Amino acid sequence: MDYDPAAWRQIVDIDLNGVFYCCRRLVPGMIARNYGRIVNVSSVAGKEGNPNAAAYSAAKAGVLALTKSLGKELAGHDIAVNALTPSPARTRILEQLTEAQVAYMLGKVPRGRFVEVEEAAAMVVFMLSDENSFTTGATFDLSGGRTTY
């Protein structure tokens, strides 16, 4: 009820509309080549929703829906469109949070640790590769067991 509409628009514009505009720009060339791989980065927040982050959670859920739709629309052109839902990594962005917030997030991960940036990179490399020739419109979970659906 108290969410600032300007903040809502800014977050949705960056986290959802930005993905849309990137795909809109890239897809014509992929169709012309009859080949492509798109990896959209969502978040566990797009699956679960995070308290006090409604715009971010909604935008990341929108990325998952966009991925599913584009995956189906472009499958006949050998274009795979998939999403990645990582849990947080211990990067500088966590410095903006209190230790209590970081501990809360970590407590939700059954593996008991944050994802490593190198683990996320390895998953993206696979998702972009020719080895990923069949899956499209899917969500690859990288949450350490937090969101396994």
Side-chain angles (χ1 to χ4, degrees), residues 44 86-91 94 105 109 113-116 142 146:
V44 295
S87 64
R90 191 171 283 280
T91 61
L94 293 185
M105 291 181 349
V109 180
R113 66 174 178 84
F114 290 114
V115 65
E116 297 291 332
L142 196 60
R146 177 177 170 183

Side-chain angles (χ1 to χ4, degrees), residues 39 84 86-87 89 115-127 142:
V39 175
L84 182 67
S87 64
V115 65
E116 297 291 332
V117 173
E118 295 80 9
E119 291 171 311
M123 178 68 82
V124 170
V125 167
F126 167 73
M127 294 168 73
L142 196 60

